[in-house]
Amino acid sequence: MAILPIRITGDPVLHEPARPVTVFDDELRTLVSDMYETMLAAPGVGLAAPQVGVPLRLFVYNYPDDDGTERRGVAINPELWLSPTPTHEADEDSEAEGCLSVPGERFPLVRADRAILRAVDLDQNPFEIEAEGWFARIFQHEYDHLDGVLYVDRLDFLYARRAAKVIRKAGWGIDGNFWTPGIDDLEG
């Protein structure tokens, strides 16, 4: 297993739709294992393949429920259904999101409260998960990465301006920026 470099906004792989996974082999198993290790080292609760430079439709997640039960898995070639997104303004405390590809920053974003994820696992077994609250948010965030969308692309005008300023000031928004958990002093 290895900790992989995480691409920062501006890298083309983050801003283009990913391709479906068609080959389920040891190379894919290694990628998924490395992605878990990278996600946990970051630390994060989800990581999509494009974030580590691989333009494939898969993400890993690790989310502890309120009772402490870990919900951990990989979603390959996922489909996502959402409840209607509320129309209220984003709450800076309860709806602030971060992203390992915009490290160290958090901005509020309104998301659907419920989601149904359908995907396959490493053995190509189909599964379905109904998620609510933050677990549903994680699925939406990671699924967006597979479509070439970062959460900062979805922010309301005021927060989008703030995010753009942070990205410019950090020298991001161009190809070639990355960070490696455990080596670089960044967090998302």
Side-chain angles (χ1 to χ4, degrees):
M1 293 196 318
I3 294 176
L4 305 172
I6 298 173
R7 306 296 174 95
I8 294 176
T9 184
D11 192 303
V13 73
L14 294 172
H15 304 283
E16 298 170 0
R19 297 184 313 267
V21 174
T22 57
V23 178
F24 290 75
D25 59 6
D26 287 341
E27 188 175 328
L28 182 65
R29 289 183 185 282
T30 298
L31 172 64
V32 169
S33 178
D34 291 348
M35 286 175 61
Y36 274 125
E37 186 172 350
T38 303
M39 174 186 63
L40 295 174
V45 293
L47 184 68
Q51 291 182 274
V52 294
V54 180
L56 292 176
R57 295 190 72 80
L58 74 100
F59 64 83
V60 297
Y61 59 90
N62 185 36
Y63 179 71
D65 276 341
D66 292 337
D67 66 3
T69 304
E70 279 195 18
R71 291 176 162 239
R72 174 182 165 144
V74 58
I76 301 173
N77 297 330
E79 297 174 351
L80 194 65
W81 285 267
L82 304 174
S83 63
T85 303
T87 57
H88 66 269
E89 287 191 28
D91 182 274
E92 290 190 27
D93 294 321
S94 65
E95 295 177 306
E97 231 174 88
C99 179
L100 298 174
S101 292
V102 186
E105 301 301 325
R106 294 182 67 78
F107 297 97
L109 176 64
V110 177
R111 295 266 194 190
D113 189 52
R114 296 177 43 140
I116 297 173
L117 173 74
R118 289 186 184 149
V120 298
D121 63 18
L122 280 168
D123 296 318
Q124 299 184 59
N125 296 315
F127 66 89
E128 179 177 296
I129 298 174
E130 292 186 33
E132 294 183 19
W134 273 96
F135 197 33
R137 180 179 291 270
I138 291 166
F139 286 163
Q140 291 168 75
H141 182 107
E142 299 310 326
Y143 188 86
D144 274 353
H145 278 298
L146 306 183
D147 288 338
V149 176
L150 276 71
Y151 89 107
V152 292
D153 299 329
R154 293 193 178 277
L155 297 174
D156 288 339
F157 179 75
L158 176 63
Y159 296 113
R161 285 187 52 193
R162 290 180 187 170
K165 183 177 180 180
V166 166
I167 289 167
R168 271 193 316 276
K169 188 174 180 180
W172 302 335
I174 58 172
D175 189 7
N177 288 317
F178 64 89
W179 69 284
T180 306
I183 295 174
D184 298 310
D185 188 20
L186 299 171
E187 59 185 52

